[in-house]
Amino acid sequence: MVLSSPSTVLPSSTEREISRDVLTLSRHVLQQFESFTAEAQDFSALFSRIALAGKMIARRLGRSGLVEDALGVTGSVNVQGEEQQQMDDYANRAFIRALEQTGLVCRLVSEEMKTPIRLPENCSLSRLALLIDPLDGSSNIDANLTVGSIFSVLRPRENCPETNNEDLLQPGRQQLAAGYILYGPSTQLVYSIGKGVHSFTLDPSLGEFVLCQSCIRTPERGSVYSLNEGYFCQWSEGIQSFVRYVHRRDGYTSRYSGALVADFHRILMQGGVYLYPGTQKKPEGKLRLMYEAAPLAFLAEQAGGMATTGTESILDIFPQSLHQRVPLIIGSRENVAEVLHCLKG
Ligand code: AHM
Ligand code: MG
């Protein structure tokens, strides 16, 4: 009997399925480094722990109507002065628990914590710092709508005082990695270490994030504009004129979910523009630079898109504080250029 050589045999559907199933997130991260250095292994392990936190949050969200203490508010107010939801608190603790005692992250900065915490507490030398919005769009939770988690990885600056966390105050361009987890009909993790943007879907039967799409490119232009038009009267002339422009122009359609991760994900995949501008009362807007705007801007640029405040690139901003807010205009190059054109009058 003559056996054909393996190279001439087309992979069967089972083979294709197996290949897909083994391309897990941690393996993909290792492949991105193209080496088995300690740094590559640390990043791979770090992503496994971020994924673990994501799985814990997805599991709790999936049962939120069934378990106690999953819905509603905690009664506390976070550092941003916003009411904390039970799920905000759970998501924050899930990240802490997933990372503590691993030695992978020495400092964790979170929207839910005024000051960063050390993991473990006696950690002396920082290797990597993780900045998170543990549950973005948390006003969606009680309505059983999409939410997300956002993360950014930084290396604390050497020879820089750790007091007031000055060593973490770095422009977004210096992020080592960034990404988000989207808790929608399926749970998806999207990340970049500066070598393109890749997405993974959680396969609940395997308990693993499996590669779904690599090297995502955002379209040069899209039809979606995404912003909360309820604030129209509070915006600058420029933003108002952009909104009037999209109302008049054929080919624009409005989508706004109230969760930045969800709205950004749509734009990353299908093109368009998301805006959260400043208002007269709050010129700096609502979104936080270091764990919302900058990581998404990193992904947008990696995918060929753009992110700006309207006057400067999000990734060039030198943060003054960890919880600093910033106006955000992000998405496809042509759509963002249209916004900038209106801002210039
Ligand atoms: P959060 O991180 O406290 O949930 O706040 C950020 C969210 C974004 O996800 C969303 O785009 C925006 O706030 C919605 O705000 P608004 O209700 O003002 O439109
Ligand atoms: Mg948020």
Side-chain angles (χ1 to χ4, degrees):
M1 188 171 75
V2 181
L3 289 174
S4 44
S5 84
S7 58
T8 60
V9 180
L10 285 174
S12 66
S13 63
T14 333
E15 278 306 317
R16 283 200 302 273
E17 216 175 288
I18 290 174
S19 311
R20 189 203 58 208
D21 289 352
V22 294
L23 204 41
T24 58
L25 177 65
S26 50
R27 184 160 175 175
H28 190 269
V29 174
L30 266 182
Q31 283 181 2
Q32 289 267 293
F33 278 87
E34 293 170 10
S35 71
F36 282 96
T37 57
E39 188 192 24
Q41 296 192 36
D42 276 359
F43 265 84
S44 171
L46 173 58
F47 271 87
S48 290
R49 304 310 285 185
I50 292 172
L52 173 61
K55 287 182 237 177
M56 290 165 70
I57 296 166
R59 183 182 61 182
R60 190 155 180 94
L61 286 168
R63 300 165 66 215
S64 57
L66 306 172
V67 294
E68 270 182 51
D69 301 337
L71 299 177
V73 294
T74 58
S76 312
V77 169
N78 70 11
V79 55
Q80 324 286 338
E82 296 156 354
E83 241 182 5
Q84 195 181 46
Q85 301 277 330
Q86 300 272 12
M87 270 309 300
D88 284 326
D89 181 49
Y90 177 87
N92 193 50
R93 285 186 290 123
F95 273 96
I96 296 172
R97 286 271 181 264
L99 288 159
E100 67 187 357
Q101 308 302 341
T102 62
L104 293 165
V105 166
C106 280
R107 252 174 303 165
L108 180 72
V109 176
S110 164
E111 179 185 329
E112 301 303 326
M113 301 186 298
K114 190 166 182 206
T115 49
I117 57 165
R118 292 184 157 281
L119 298 167
E121 208 153 292
N122 57 1
C123 164
S124 56
L125 254 189
S126 307
R127 291 153 80 196
L128 295 172
L130 184 71
L131 295 89
I132 54 168
D133 177 355
L135 206 71
D136 172 63
S138 44
S139 70
N140 278 5
I141 297 164
D142 288 355
N144 194 24
L145 297 172
T146 302
V147 287
S149 302
I150 310 177
F151 59 90
S152 160
V153 183
L154 288 175
R155 194 181 304 286
R157 274 188 292 153
E158 281 174 25
N159 308 322
C160 181
E162 218 192 281
T163 356
N164 301 327
N165 301 295
E166 276 168 60
D167 56 343
L168 298 182
L169 299 177
Q170 306 173 23
R173 238 170 253 299
Q174 284 169 19
Q175 290 171 99
L176 301 178
Y180 58 82
I181 306 166
L182 177 69
Y183 310 102
S186 68
T187 301
Q188 258 189 299
L189 188 150
V190 177
Y191 89 98
S192 175
I193 59 160
K195 294 183 178 180
V197 180
H198 318 285
S199 78
F200 292 74
T201 301
L202 178 62
D203 182 335
S205 59
L206 289 175
E208 289 279 2
F209 281 97
V210 176
L211 182 67
C212 166
Q213 199 177 337
S214 52
C215 301
I216 295 166
R217 298 300 293 171
T218 210
E220 282 294 299
R221 84 165 289 121
S223 58
V224 168
Y225 75 99
S226 183
L227 84 173
N228 185 342
E229 292 196 48
Y231 302 125
F232 186 87
C233 293
Q234 302 175 44
W235 289 327
S236 67
E237 223 4 86
I239 296 290
Q240 289 182 348
S241 85
F242 173 71
V243 174
R244 284 196 203 94
Y245 165 75
V246 297
H247 287 174
R248 283 195 310 266
R249 193 184 190 282
D250 261 0
Y252 261 112
T253 187
S254 167
R255 293 284 183 274
Y256 190 76
S257 75
L260 171 63
V261 170
D263 291 323
F264 174 74
H265 185 71
R266 185 202 303 273
I267 282 162
L268 179 77
M269 306 305 288
Q270 299 172 355
V273 60
Y274 171 97
L275 305 93
Y276 205 112
T279 59
Q280 278 146 16
K281 277 194 206 141
K282 289 187 183 167
E284 67 289 357
K286 176 183 185 189
L287 302 176
R288 276 55 55 128
L289 172 61
M290 296 197 71
Y291 43 80
E292 290 183 316
L296 299 190
F298 189 80
L299 297 173
E301 286 204 8
Q302 281 291 315
M306 244 178 114
T308 166
T309 61
T311 53
E312 67 179 314
S313 163
I314 293 285
L315 293 183
D316 289 335
I317 302 172
F318 216 111
Q320 302 299 308
S321 67
L322 292 176
H323 299 290
Q324 176 175 338
R325 295 174 195 260
V326 75
L328 177 66
I329 302 162
I330 189 167
S332 299
R333 288 194 160 267
E334 287 183 19
N335 301 84
V336 173
E338 276 178 357
V339 179
L340 293 178
H341 187 76
C342 292
L343 291 179
K344 280 188 194 126

